[in-house]
Amino acid sequence: MTNFTENTQENEVTAAQAAVTASELTSSGPEEDVVISSYLVSTFQGETAQAAEAISQIAGVEVHETHDTTLVVTIEAPTIAASTKVATEVNLTKGVVTVRLIFANFEDDPIIKRQLEINRAKKVLEDELEKQQAK
Amino acid sequence: MEFSRRQFVKTSAAAMAGAAAVGTLGALVGCDDENGGGGGGGGTTKDGVTSVTVCRYCGVGCGVLVTTVDGVITETVGDPDNESTLGALCVKGMHLASLLYCDGRLTTPLIRDDSSTKGTDGGLREATWEEALDLAAGKLRDTWKNDKSRLAFWASGQMPICEGYILSKFWKAGMLSNNIDPNARLCMASAVVAFMNVFQTDEPANCYNDLDLADVFVTWGANMYEAHPVLYSRLEARKNHGAGVKHYDITTLGTQTSKSADKVLIMTPGSDNAIANAIANYIVVNELYDQAYIDDHLVFKTGTENLGNNYDDTYDGSDIGRAVGAVTPCTFDVYKERLAPYTLEYAAELSSVSAADIEELAKVYADKNTKVLSLWTMGVNQHNRGVWMNHNIYNIHLILGKYALPGCGAFSLTGQPTACGTAREVGTFAHRLPADLVVNNPQHRRFTEAVWDLPKGYLDDELDDDDEPIPGTGIATPGKHTIRIFQDISKGNMDFLWSACNNWAVSLPNLTRYLGKGDQKGIYDTFIVVNECYPTLSTKYADVVFPVAMWVEREGAFGNAERRTLVFEQAVEPPGEAMWDLWVYLQMAVRVLEGEKIDGKDAFDVLFGFIWDKEAGDFVGSQREVNQRIWDEYLIFTNPGLKKAASDIDLDVDELFGTKNDEGVYTPSKLKMYSKQMAPYEVYLNSHGLTWPVREVNGEWLSTKWRFCDGKQEDGFDEEGIKMYGKDGKAGVGGISYYKSAGLKPSVVFRPWEPPAFMPDEQYPFWFVTGRLLEQWHTGTNTALIPALNNTLPDSYLYMNPGDFDAMDLKEGDEVVVTSHYGTVTVKATKQQRVECPPGVCFGTFFEESRLINLVVQEIYDPISKEPDYKKTTVSIVKK
């Protein structure tokens, strides 16, 4: 039987690629762009505590609760891209079986912010046009 | 984000996940709209609007609630009220919103004036809708009138139900053409054919709840971790919490799914039929089968064998090609005799799986006290004997009496989000009509005519002077399947192709041929129309591109792998001039059918007047109203009592389709159309998806979780179906009634092992297996746009066995040239162990357009289902 539970070379390489640098998450003040998501992280029996400890060391990750072998985790990152990198690193952590996304707020992600700006500007123009037509 | 809001959102996020962990997420995010829909203020945003939707990716069909602010989706949360997934999503769900807003989104129609620019990055210019529609419709109409065998539509298992329904009606009733086939031909056709062969009804009898109940999981060629991640989570949760729950993984290469398996059986590609037969043989030799169940429920058959393979285009028309589907009744004793050669040792020799492991698995299956759930998908379906392999899995379960029971059964997993709901249930296949009906059955055509208000016989083929049907004049003869369509395009035998919700230029096998990179250049002469949201390789070959809405930019409905139909609300507007696909279909139909008559009346009005106002040139009402009207008509197919003409044919009231015995006693042919009963549209609007058959009991519409299994309807059992159609209204042995099967008895068909079309040899020594990995969906038309997913899986690597890799003196990321009988491609090689290939096997994903691995993939298909075998191309690998 093949043992897949050890971190293989492939996992190490991918984890290195996925690791978020501290600079990407350094808080620069009271207001900053942040994508916030929450996950249920399933762990192997007997490895929950160790997985929780390892995950909580990842920048942007907070372990809130443990329910048997399932961890309740939030991830804060500046963009969807950065957030997914972190989620991948969580997924590759020793002891983790699967990661299920529950919630994601991405109103601060550049792609979403850009679209919000476009829509809001369009709305302003439409309202202005409507006012002029009403006159 | 301002600090206090950040804290609020984070606290909410944690609370939601915590609630999901204990099953109370619904209390936090449950819909407060009085109709059960998204309704009012949503998510963590005061002014947000929440909509009920479903993920647009895989067949799991994860429920999603989206919150919209100022017309933009800013939040997603897994829908706790969707019983398929109970609030869980995978990483792709994180990006559902951003995929609507990526750069390059198509917002205006495009026309190509110079066909020599096909396949290049340029050549398309912006046009008005009128110009594009007039051009495309003109070409379609010309082809239709000149020779309708030369036109085709390539549809999709990602196309919402009502869109697929209207499209199919346009093609089959409007133009009397069966040349419409979906990309589901490439993924589920083998499963569909097997369902119909065995049960005479499509789609699984089991449901996702079985993942919470099984004692043993057996995955056959299914990488659920990557391809059905949320379901895999459920399997793992069951393993983690159930005492002694085990998972056996039967596969040609180690995957992330194998990680958690208790036993991984690595088999030689193509040997699964031998393993399955050895298991069945073990069961019969040791008399572990359920004789009472067999006597009550099963018939036995043999089928045509020595099928060969389609090494050239003449196969379908050959003697063997025309006989592939034939079956002959036999006895259980004959079935046992045919199994006899499949000893454990023989299967071990063919498969490289040890006899001991096969025996262990056989014992697990046969253990009367063990609930076994078999799960499979592309490893079984994309197989030159895929139909047979589907059969062989059912054979094991059926002779043991282990099917359609809670926690116990054979679950064919669907790949795409609505291959079930649209391609299969609506029937956008070359041989099908809605609701399991088929074009070549006269009673089925009469029924369809009744629903569509067509004259009796309208769909039949015309008759020649000898009163013989002329194939292709009506829709009584199946049309061209997918590979045949593209074979004909390559040879210059097709003049018009239209596609939507797919990317054939990347996903088809043997792209060397179909993209004109060999000596067949027909792609450049075929007039091609593509509905798309972003530029793709397919749009690079298009003559006209229609920009269309995606996902929740319109209202629609999907049907997932466990038969759950769900209406997703429109949450945002499509950008620019992008339009609802349905609008495009009707704009084309009104032009193509201009002046045409059905029974003396305007053809377009007969078919579509109930949803389209020709005078106004637009729909008769809102998207909601239009979908409602379409659904009302579609509903008749599974609720024939809504229309007398349909009901009369369903019950064969006029005694036209049955048989009379020697004594003159007539046995009517009853279609049993309620067996797949759907609910009215408003019921779906007020729910978060229901699994059919949906039954109205005491004024409430109730799902069925376990088809054919007796028990209380309110508990998810098929009580009403069995009352309606079971023998004397009752279930048989084991509390089961296979009421849709002929004679109430599914078929156990003996299917032998036959080898793959090609075996590794000196020239092509490797097996090349293609598939998907988690982050990139299909051909990457959506996921490859998203930086996050692209960063995680940026390229389509060739995963190799480390020994093979080192023997070629390769370094990580070195380019290699992969060559097959069909073509050649250059890819980067890796020995990273995300996919653990045995010696002589390699794996690649098909999402990366710049790599285009399907240039080398064989054109070989299952002779019965016509589904290509993407898993067993033989190749050579040479360092570049």
Side-chain angles (χ1 to χ4, degrees):
Chain A
M1 183 174 76
T2 306
N3 184 353
F4 284 92
T5 57
E6 307 244 339
N7 274 337
T8 63
Q9 179 187 359
E10 188 275 334
N11 285 346
E12 289 163 6
V13 170
T14 309
Q17 289 167 341
V20 179
T21 59
S23 63
E24 290 183 36
L25 293 174
T26 300
S27 173
S28 57
E31 188 165 332
E32 58 182 351
D33 289 342
V34 62
V35 169
I36 301 169
S37 52
S38 61
Y39 291 82
L40 293 181
V41 178
S42 302
T43 62
F44 287 106
Q45 287 275 7
E47 297 183 54
T48 305
Q50 155 197 343
E53 174 58 29
I55 287 167
S56 61
Q57 300 303 310
I58 301 171
V61 179
E62 189 172 333
V63 179
H64 293 263
E65 301 166 28
T66 303
H67 296 269
D68 193 6
T69 56
T70 300
L71 308 174
V72 173
V73 168
T74 55
I75 296 176
E76 293 169 275
T79 64
I80 293 175
S83 182
T84 307
K85 272 189 192 177
V86 176
T88 302
E89 190 181 351
V90 169
N91 202 12
L92 294 172
T93 300
K94 189 173 186 308
V96 171
V97 182
T98 61
V99 170
R100 284 167 287 165
L101 173 69
I102 300 299
F103 166 86
N105 174 292
F106 30 75
E107 64 194 57
D108 280 359
D109 181 86
I111 295 177
I112 304 298
K113 274 177 85 166
R114 181 183 70 178
Q115 194 62 40
L116 279 167
E117 284 164 16
I118 291 170
N119 280 24
R120 285 166 182 160
K122 194 174 154 191
K123 182 80 170 53
V124 166
L125 282 173
E126 284 170 355
D127 287 348
E128 192 53 45
L129 191 63
E130 207 175 305
K131 273 188 207 161
Q132 286 176 5
Q133 285 173 344
K135 285 179 189 169
Chain B
M1 188 183 287
E2 188 258 332
F3 183 74
S4 65
R5 171 155 175 76
R6 177 175 179 167
Q7 284 302 108
F8 170 69
V9 173
K10 181 177 167 182
T11 304
S12 302
M16 286 187 232
V22 296
T24 60
L25 180 59
L28 279 186
V29 300
C31 294
D32 56 4
D33 183 273
E34 62 181 9
N35 292 322
T44 65
T45 311
K46 181 167 64 75
D47 298 324
V49 174
T50 298
S51 304
V52 176
T53 76
V54 65
C55 182
R56 60 85 65 240
Y57 291 120
C58 78
V60 173
C62 298
V64 186
L65 300 176
V66 299
T67 297
T68 315
V69 174
D70 291 333
V72 179
I73 299 173
T74 56
E75 266 180 14
T76 55
V77 59
D79 183 357
D81 295 321
N82 182 305
E83 289 182 28
S84 285
T85 49
L86 303 168
L89 304 169
C90 81
V91 66
K92 294 191 294 298
M94 180 78 167
H95 310 279
L96 284 167
S98 53
L99 69 85
L100 302 180
Y101 311 120
C102 294
D103 289 334
R105 182 74 195 265
L106 295 171
T107 57
T108 55
L110 302 171
I111 289 176
R112 185 184 307 278
D113 294 310
D114 178 2
S115 65
S116 71
T117 61
K118 285 191 179 186
T120 71
D121 289 336
L124 287 168
R125 62 165 172 86
E126 292 188 349
T128 63
W129 268 106
E130 191 172 351
E131 183 187 4
L133 286 164
D134 284 347
L135 175 61
K139 293 288 187 185
L140 176 55
R141 185 178 167 91
D142 286 346
T143 308
W144 178 43
K145 289 297 182 182
N146 289 335
D147 182 352
K148 65 179 176 177
S149 72
R150 298 176 70 91
L151 58 85
F153 196 110
W154 205 47
S156 175
Q158 299 173 54
M159 179 187 287
I161 293 172
C162 291
E163 294 172 26
Y165 177 82
I166 291 297
L167 175 66
S168 186
K169 197 178 181 188
F170 172 29
W171 229 252
K172 292 184 187 261
M175 294 194 293
L176 291 175
S177 168
N178 279 323
N179 283 358
I180 176 168
D181 214 47
N183 65 357
R185 178 75 65 180
L186 308 183
C187 62
M188 298 308 294
S190 297
V192 171
V193 170
F195 271 120
M196 297 305 286
N197 285 353
V198 177
F199 300 104
Q200 288 77 66
T201 182
D202 193 9
E203 296 192 39
N206 287 80
C207 62
Y208 293 170
N209 291 67
D210 297 313
L211 293 161
D212 308 326
L213 301 170
D215 299 319
V216 173
F217 299 98
V218 183
T219 45
W220 292 85
N223 188 359
M224 290 175 70
Y225 175 99
E226 307 270 13
H228 296 89
V230 170
L231 294 186
Y232 178 76
S233 297
R234 226 160 146 173
L235 183 159
E236 274 308 299
R238 171 66 179 155
K239 269 201 62 180
N240 254 338
H241 296 101
V245 176
K246 292 204 181 316
H247 171 203
Y248 291 80
D249 185 36
I250 307 169
T251 175
T252 56
L253 34 76
T255 65
Q256 297 293 298
T257 301
S258 311
K259 263 170 110 170
S260 64
D262 295 280
K263 180 153 273 186
V264 183
L265 279 57
I266 303 285
M267 64 173 203
T268 303
S271 62
D272 41 5
N273 275 304
I275 296 173
N277 275 340
I279 292 170
N281 187 47
Y282 183 91
I283 292 167
V284 303
V285 163
N286 292 283
E287 297 182 349
L288 299 171
Y289 47 82
D290 188 330
Q291 186 67 62
Y293 192 97
I294 288 171
D295 292 340
D296 200 34
H297 290 305
L298 304 179
V299 292
F300 292 86
K301 297 174 181 171
T302 57
T304 306
E305 298 175 14
N306 299 309
L307 301 186
N309 292 283
N310 61 306
Y311 296 110
D312 59 42
D313 291 4
T314 64
Y315 180 86
D316 287 358
S318 66
D319 288 343
I320 189 65
R322 284 182 282 113
V324 294
V327 290
T328 305
C330 69
T331 63
F332 184 31
D333 284 338
V334 168
Y335 175 67
K336 288 190 236 178
E337 284 165 20
R338 295 304 314 275
L339 280 176
Y342 292 89
T343 61
L344 299 171
E345 291 70 27
Y346 178 54
E349 180 191 328
L350 286 175
S351 67
S352 305
V353 175
S354 74
D357 281 349
I358 300 173
E359 183 178 10
E360 178 182 331
L361 189 53
K363 284 178 176 172
V364 163
Y365 266 110
D367 185 337
K368 289 187 178 358
N369 299 314
T370 299
K371 298 191 294 294
V372 181
L373 189 66
S374 293
L375 298 139
W376 70 96
T377 182
M378 298 308 139
V380 169
N381 295 337
Q382 293 174 341
H383 185 330
N384 76 318
R385 295 294 182 267
V387 171
W388 286 7
M389 189 54 208
N390 273 266
H391 272 276
N392 282 335
I393 297 174
Y394 291 127
N395 290 350
I396 294 169
H397 280 267
L398 287 172
I399 62 175
L400 290 169
K402 287 190 173 186
Y403 188 73
L405 299 168
C408 195
F411 203 124
S412 163
L413 292 168
T414 298
Q416 296 186 80
T418 192
C420 286
T422 306
R424 294 158 77 174
E425 289 160 31
V426 162
T428 55
F429 275 91
H431 63 294
R432 290 185 79 160
L433 292 163
D436 279 350
L437 303 178
V438 291
V439 296
N440 62 356
N441 182 312
Q443 189 177 9
H444 294 189
R445 292 196 302 276
R446 295 294 85 75
F447 185 89
T448 304
E449 286 160 359
V451 177
W452 288 350
D453 285 326
L454 298 172
K456 184 181 153 190
Y458 184 80
L459 297 176
D460 289 347
D461 288 336
E462 293 171 13
L463 300 177
D464 63 18
D465 294 340
D466 298 319
D467 280 342
E468 292 296 322
I470 306 170
T473 50
I475 63 162
T477 308
K480 296 179 182 179
H481 58 84
T482 292
I483 297 301
R484 174 79 193 280
I485 288 170
F486 286 92
Q487 285 173 344
D488 278 356
I489 287 174
S490 72
K491 292 186 287 195
N493 293 339
M494 296 290 278
D495 295 325
F496 186 94
L497 172 72
W498 189 5
S499 67
C501 303
N502 54 51
N503 188 11
W504 47 266
V506 177
S507 64
L508 287 171
N510 195 10
L511 288 176
T512 301
R513 173 180 182 175
Y514 300 135
L515 296 184
K517 297 182 184 298
D519 57 359
Q520 294 180 332
K521 306 290 187 187
I523 190 79
Y524 295 97
D525 299 322
T526 308
F527 192 90
I528 297 172
V529 179
V530 175
N531 287 21
E532 251 302 347
C533 306
Y534 286 96
T536 63
L537 189 58
S538 297
T539 62
K540 289 183 182 175
Y541 287 89
D543 294 275
V544 174
V545 179
F546 292 138
V548 290
M550 68 190 301
W551 192 39
V552 295
E553 290 172 349
R554 73 339 196 157
E555 179 169 300
F558 276 0
N560 75 358
E562 68 158 352
R563 300 174 275 104
R564 186 174 303 280
T565 310
L566 180 141
V567 171
F568 56 88
E569 302 175 290
Q570 181 182 15
V572 294
E573 293 292 329
E577 295 180 64
M579 298 297 288
W580 187 12
D581 286 80
L582 190 66
W583 181 91
V584 181
Y585 300 146
L586 290 166
Q587 287 283 3
M588 288 284 283
V590 77
R591 288 164 170 79
V592 171
L593 298 177
E594 187 180 346
E596 301 297 317
K597 303 284 187 197
I598 295 176
D599 204 23
K601 300 179 206 142
D602 182 86
F604 181 90
D605 285 341
V606 168
L607 298 175
F608 307 118
F610 69 112
I611 54 172
W612 189 266
D613 182 341
K614 247 194 193 175
E615 295 294 317
D618 208 343
F619 291 111
V620 298
S622 65
Q623 283 198 11
R624 173 66 51 89
E625 287 167 344
V626 168
N627 275 311
Q628 172 88 64
R629 288 182 182 217
I630 295 171
W631 195 268
D632 285 347
E633 180 180 281
Y634 176 50
L635 194 62
I636 301 170
F637 278 94
T638 59
N639 291 263
L642 293 173
K643 194 168 188 177
K644 184 178 184 305
S647 178
D648 284 353
I649 296 167
D650 176 44
L651 298 173
D652 192 17
V653 161
D654 296 328
E655 298 188 354
L656 297 172
F657 307 103
T659 54
K660 203 175 266 191
N661 66 13
D662 293 337
E663 285 79 45
V665 176
Y666 183 80
T667 301
S669 167
K670 295 188 180 182
L671 296 179
K672 301 180 185 172
M673 296 307 290
Y674 280 98
S675 63
K676 299 183 84 160
Q677 190 174 14
M678 295 285 192
Y681 197 69
E682 59 270 20
V683 174
Y684 293 104
L685 289 173
N686 295 335
S687 74
H688 294 235
L690 296 165
T691 51
W692 60 259
V694 194
R695 308 296 190 193
E696 189 177 18
V697 178
N698 299 325
E700 194 183 349
W701 286 87
L702 303 175
S703 286
T704 302
K705 293 183 182 177
W706 295 282
R707 297 171 78 192
F708 317 129
C709 187
D710 203 12
K712 288 284 171 203
Q713 189 70 46
E714 50 263 37
D715 293 334
F717 294 98
D718 205 352
E719 181 179 19
E720 297 301 312
I722 290 172
K723 272 190 214 164
M724 246 189 286
Y725 297 127
K727 186 178 177 187
D728 301 323
K730 292 186 176 12
V733 169
I736 295 289
S737 170
Y738 292 106
Y739 54 76
K740 193 62 166 64
S741 301
L744 307 183
K745 294 193 173 193
S747 302
V748 171
V749 186
F750 172 75
R751 301 295 197 183
W753 170 84
E754 287 182 4
F758 296 99
M759 299 294 285
D761 57 22
E762 206 173 307
Q763 187 179 12
Y764 303 114
F766 290 92
W767 292 108
F768 179 40
V769 182
T770 72
R772 279 200 281 125
L773 295 176
L774 174 60
E775 296 85 351
Q776 293 288 2
W777 164 257
H778 274 201
T779 66
T781 52
N782 294 170
T783 49
L785 300 166
I786 297 166
L789 293 174
N790 228 14
N791 290 341
T792 311
L793 202 65
D795 202 343
S796 174
Y797 282 84
L798 184 76
Y799 290 82
M800 293 179 66
N801 171 270
D804 293 338
F805 186 92
D806 291 339
M808 287 187 200
D809 198 28
L810 292 167
K811 295 187 307 300
E812 278 297 321
D814 275 354
E815 288 197 321
V816 294
V817 178
V818 181
T819 305
S820 73
H821 291 276
Y822 295 86
T824 192
V825 72
T826 300
V827 291
K828 289 183 181 173
T830 179
K831 57 178 178 180
Q832 291 183 9
Q833 296 295 279
R834 180 168 181 170
V835 179
E836 196 169 294
C837 297
V841 178
C842 57
F843 173 86
T845 52
F846 59 98
F847 71 88
E848 178 52 52
E849 181 183 310
S850 67
R851 296 297 177 186
L852 221 53
I853 64 165
N854 282 332
L855 286 170
V856 304
V857 169
Q858 62 187 357
E859 195 177 286
I860 301 295
Y861 50 71
D862 179 293
I864 306 175
S865 69
K866 322 302 183 195
E867 179 168 350
D869 186 337
Y870 284 94
K871 305 295 186 184
K872 297 192 284 295
T873 305
T874 52
V875 299
S876 64
I877 305 171
V878 173
K879 184 174 178 179
K880 192 172 178 187

